[in-house]
Amino acid sequence: MALTGGQIRLDRGHDGRVAYLTLDHGKYNIVTMQTRQVMADRFAEIDADQDIQAVVIRAEGEHFTSGGDIQGFMEVEPADLTDLGQNITAPSRSPKPVITAVDGYCFGVGFELALSTDIRIATERSQFALPEMRLGMIPGSGGTQRLARLIGLSRAKYHVMTATRITARQAGDWGLVSAVVPDRVALDAEVERVLKTMLGYSPLALRTAKEVLDKGVDAPLYSGIELERKAYAMLRSSHDFAEGVAAFGEKRAPKFQGR
């Protein structure tokens, strides 16, 4: 059964192992303050569920999202905005791999949401932008920092300071998205292909890889390598690694248990 509220629908697939979060708030899927909190609530539920191994964020309608509820910001006290990025960016703190499926506009806070996920896949007609400069504002949910780390400081400055859109082709060339596909049908198919691949792997190894990559990328190289080395040693004692080695030797598919 689907759970509804705050324009984010939560459904399950692949025998309960995948959580699908669907933005559903009109043609442009405007992200309200309520939507932000519901995203955090959804991930609290997902992260506590040991059966869920992966998450997909997608949207109903013509566009992923055109961004936030602009007028709604004027109803929030400035002091209350200091923690603005903690709710919508819950995917970045989830131990589970999160895929974003983008079609159409991916602007403002919607772009920041996508940037906080692990794998982004987009259609050819998709466009990305941080347009806050047009309002006399800057991105406030991690957009400046995550974009700079993904496409480089110079490009990030240009697109933040001029509010210029990034095309799907540019996003693919710069590594902002993992794949660009022709249309919505192909998008769904590619998401399912990636999911099928990851569901065949150890959930423990996937969680560990995400943590090492996320924490190591901002650390000095030596510290990142040390983190990787210790995580590698930890996985050596796991049931899944022993099962993977045994399955390899016996020429069969492994049966991972996430421990």
Side-chain angles (χ1 to χ4, degrees), residues 139-212:
S141 297
T144 61
Q145 301 306 299
R146 288 194 169 96
L147 188 63
R149 284 162 172 76
L150 283 168
I151 69 174
L153 183 58
S154 180
R155 281 178 178 151
K157 283 183 176 180
Y158 173 77
H159 285 282
V160 170
M161 293 179 178
T162 67
T164 302
R165 297 180 184 183
I166 299 171
T167 66
R169 175 175 291 185
Q170 288 173 318
D173 289 345
W174 298 345
L176 187 57
V177 299
S178 303
V180 177
V181 297
D183 51 32
R184 181 69 72 92
V185 173
L187 177 64
D188 292 341
E190 179 63 10
V191 168
E192 290 302 308
R193 185 194 69 79
V194 175
L195 277 174
K196 184 177 180 181
T197 298
M198 291 197 299
L199 290 175
Y201 297 149
S202 161
L204 177 60
L206 285 170
R207 291 197 302 270
T208 304
K210 176 173 179 173
E211 182 177 10
V212 169

Side-chain angles (χ1 to χ4, degrees), residues 115-126:
L115 288 171
S116 74
T117 64
D118 304 304
I119 297 173
R120 290 165 293 280
I121 303 170
T123 60
E124 291 177 351
R125 76 183 193 94
S126 296

Side-chain angles (χ1 to χ4, degrees), residues 22 65 119 139:
T22 306
T65 170
I119 297 173

Side-chain angles (χ1 to χ4, degrees), residues 23 29 31 36 64-68 88 100 102 105-116 128-130 132:
L23 304 177
N29 286 311
V31 177
R36 287 172 171 269
F64 182 71
T65 170
S66 63
I88 199 69
T100 300
V102 177
Y105 294 162
C106 184
F107 295 165
V109 64
F111 190 14
E112 293 177 297
L113 167 63
L115 288 171
S116 74
F128 304 83
L130 293 171
E132 288 82 358

